[in-house]
Amino acid sequence: MTSPQTTPIATADIGVVGLAVMGRNLARNFARHGYTVALYNRTTSRTDALVAAHGDDGAFVPSATVADFVASLKRPRRIVLMVQAGAGTDAAIQSLVPHLEPGDIVVDGGNSHFPDTIRRERELSALGLHFVGAGISGGEEGALNGPAIMPGGPAESYTDLGPILESIAATVDGVPCCTHVGPDGAGHFVKMVHNGIEYADMQLIGEAYDLLRQGLGAGASEIGDIFADWNTGDLESFLIEITAEALHQVDATTGHPFVDVVVDEAGQKGTGRWTVQNALDLGVPVTGIAEATFARALSSSLPQREAARRVLPAAAEPLVVTDRAAFIEDVRSALYASKVVAYSQGFDQIAAASAAYGWNIDRGAMARIWRGGCIIRARFLNRITEAYERDPELPLLLADPYFAAAITAGLPAWRRVVAQSALAGIPAPAFASSLAYYDGLRAERSSAALIQAQRDLFGAHTYRRVDRPGVFHTLWSGDHSEIEIPPLVPTGA
């Protein structure tokens, strides 16, 4: 059993609270980089197990109580919480606060909802404490070997904390995948959008797999070979890499492809929903992320799916592939174009939130730190970084010359794939919604004019005209004449 000293000596550089997989591996990462790491977990046996199994990773200072844990830390104390988001995080903070002093830094490394982070930062700031909401991506492997880290909170806290976090983060071209994102909830917000993009990316890959399987009649391993080949080009990414690995896996029990014995019901932990909910609040269309989130929900609607299979016909045409290589290339092009849309929408959401909350987030820096360590790390994040270096105020990622050219080159294939999937009755919601978004952006005139006319007719919501300035309303219940609505006069003017 752990036997902490009666009066612990403050020797630890940083502390970790919560020693489940992510917390344990993050603590080991700190230790491997030469930091003395204080450890605390509500269940002391978990602390003992870490030290027993991995004590040779570096210097650990285990504690059985919160008081001893805090006392073992050098001032200013740096504490990383790796506990369950929500009530668990609040409880951990409440247990620590009585033992802390002004200037101490508390880091929440979980997947907390950014409004909670804003609240916690405000509450702890009133006590003279620094609270940092830090998005950490990369899963258990990243936590151990180098994650992407997105810390928010007070800029002055990053002066002290930043060098430590940067030292354990992944690096690409010698640049750490960690930077100060912005005040209060900015770090957790960016991690939320990262996860939303991850939802879209995974859904698009799933749709590509489904199209290849049904169009080629190929087995999982053969399609795994296709993904492995794609991972050598513009689509190179962690998610494409692990897709190939999963498709090559054979179930030991049945001898069947592993993917064929997995129930087709996708889970989710809420970050995708948060991303879509916030996008609605901001008025930012994130259609790829939304479709991916709804697709997971639909996959879990098992009673509805069973009822539909019994009575709803497909009325579909067979998907006939006459040129195998051309079809594979079409799906690849559609996947790349749709992925670009998802990332573009995510960066639009970051820009909108940055303006709304006064965060001043550098989108180029976000692309740069996502190049390594995180789940959505991909070769083309270098291209996104370069796009924002060319124009930090770029209003639309798709309008960057590189991405405009890439989308243009793949557009015919993208349209063919969406049309073929619709005709064959193969669901490809993220492919289709991404293409519809693209067409909505480029349309010279949209159907919104009719919607605005409808709104004015049933609710007197007014409209603007294309031929002269001003705001107007038609007297629909009267003689259908048009009146101009005078501008509002500010109070006190």
Side-chain angles (χ1 to χ4, degrees):
M1 295 295 293
T2 301
S3 301
Q5 301 176 40
T6 304
T7 306
I9 300 172
T11 59
D13 302 300
I14 195 162
V16 178
V17 175
L19 301 176
V21 174
M22 285 291 290
R24 181 177 70 241
N25 282 1
L26 199 68
R28 293 177 61 197
N29 193 347
F30 283 125
R32 288 178 173 186
H33 282 81
Y35 300 105
T36 299
V37 185
L39 303 173
Y40 174 74
N41 194 83
R42 285 190 308 166
T43 305
T44 308
S45 60
R46 186 167 278 176
T47 308
D48 296 331
L50 189 159
V51 176
H54 305 292
D56 56 355
D57 277 341
F60 294 111
V61 182
S63 295
T65 69
V66 171
D68 285 351
F69 168 76
V70 173
S72 71
L73 287 158
K74 298 175 185 176
R75 294 178 177 82
R77 301 177 180 95
R78 310 172 189 94
I79 299 171
V80 181
L81 304 180
M82 298 300 293
V83 299
Q84 188 173 14
T89 301
D90 284 325
I93 292 170
Q94 290 166 11
S95 71
L96 287 166
V97 164
H99 306 282
L100 300 180
E101 298 175 348
D104 289 346
I105 303 170
V106 178
V107 182
D108 175 11
N111 270 335
S112 291
H113 199 191
F114 78 93
D116 290 336
T117 304
I118 293 174
R119 168 181 59 80
R120 291 167 183 147
E121 197 275 335
R122 183 174 60 246
E123 292 170 353
L124 294 193
S125 177
L127 302 175
L129 303 172
H130 296 289
F131 185 73
V132 173
I136 300 177
S137 179
E140 56 184 280
E141 179 184 345
L144 181 62
N145 299 315
I149 309 177
M150 298 150 256
E156 57 267 33
S157 68
Y158 194 77
T159 301
D160 179 84
L161 187 67
I164 298 177
L165 296 182
E166 290 179 12
S167 71
I168 69 157
T171 59
V172 176
D173 299 330
V175 178
C177 296
C178 174
T179 191
H180 183 243
V181 177
D184 52 67
H188 274 146
F189 181 89
V190 165
K191 175 56 163 56
M192 177 191 77
V193 174
H194 163 285
N195 285 21
I197 294 172
E198 178 185 313
Y199 273 50
D201 212 340
M202 294 172 73
Q203 175 65 25
L204 290 164
I205 290 170
E207 291 176 14
Y209 156 76
D210 198 18
L211 284 161
L212 290 173
R213 188 142 199 190
Q214 297 203 46
L216 301 177
S221 182
E222 184 179 353
I223 299 172
D225 292 341
I226 294 171
F227 276 94
D229 179 63
W230 285 355
N231 199 47
T232 63
D234 288 340
L235 282 173
E236 180 189 347
S237 67
F238 173 71
L239 285 172
I240 295 290
E241 176 188 341
I242 66 170
T243 298
E245 181 178 353
L247 290 172
H248 285 133
Q249 178 73 7
V250 175
D251 177 54
T253 302
T254 64
H256 296 151
F258 171 71
V259 71
D260 290 347
V261 302
V262 176
V263 175
D264 58 341
E265 179 183 3
Q268 53 183 306
K269 291 187 175 180
T271 48
R273 290 196 302 270
W274 291 345
T275 305
V276 176
Q277 289 164 352
N278 174 260
L280 290 170
D281 291 339
L282 294 171
V284 178
V286 292
T287 55
I289 297 170
E291 287 294 350
T293 305
F294 290 134
R296 290 197 188 190
L298 179 61
S299 76
S300 300
S301 302
L302 299 183
Q304 292 85 355
R305 291 175 62 194
E306 179 60 30
R309 280 194 293 267
R310 287 198 301 265
V311 300
L312 300 181
E317 302 176 2
L319 178 54
V320 178
V321 174
T322 56
D323 187 330
R324 184 179 186 278
F327 180 72
I328 292 171
E329 177 57 22
D330 275 2
V331 175
R332 188 204 67 81
S333 295
L335 176 57
Y336 187 77
S338 299
K339 280 165 64 77
V340 172
V341 166
Y343 281 74
S344 181
Q345 291 177 346
F347 279 102
D348 282 350
Q349 186 170 358
I350 290 172
S354 180
Y357 294 101
W359 287 334
N360 195 32
I361 297 175
D362 181 346
R363 290 173 294 170
M366 298 307 98
R368 187 165 56 249
I369 66 173
W370 286 350
R371 293 182 302 165
C374 70
I375 301 301
I376 64 171
R377 60 186 183 265
R379 176 190 292 190
F380 89 139
L381 279 160
N382 287 311
R383 299 290 192 176
I384 297 177
T385 303
E386 293 165 2
Y388 286 117
E389 286 175 350
R390 284 190 290 271
D391 182 2
E393 303 303 320
L394 184 66
L396 176 72
L397 184 61
L398 298 180
D400 173 78
Y402 170 82
F403 288 109
I407 291 284
T408 299
L411 187 56
W414 196 7
R415 294 197 186 283
R416 282 193 295 270
V417 166
V418 170
Q420 286 173 310
S421 64
L423 290 170
I426 300 172
F431 276 159
S433 67
S434 298
L435 180 57
Y437 171 83
Y438 170 86
D439 283 330
L441 282 176
R442 53 163 293 280
E444 185 173 342
R445 186 163 173 80
S446 77
S447 60
L450 176 59
I451 294 172
Q452 198 61 15
Q454 293 169 332
R455 294 181 73 244
D456 188 60
L457 195 156
F458 68 68
H461 291 296
T462 73
Y463 53 89
R464 291 180 295 113
R465 297 178 58 95
V466 299
D467 54 356
R468 62 181 186 272
V471 177
F472 301 89
H473 168 58
T474 292
L475 301 174
W476 298 101
S477 59
D479 62 2
H480 283 215
S481 62
E482 182 180 79
I483 61 173
E484 184 171 0
I485 307 300
L488 292 175
V489 178
T491 303

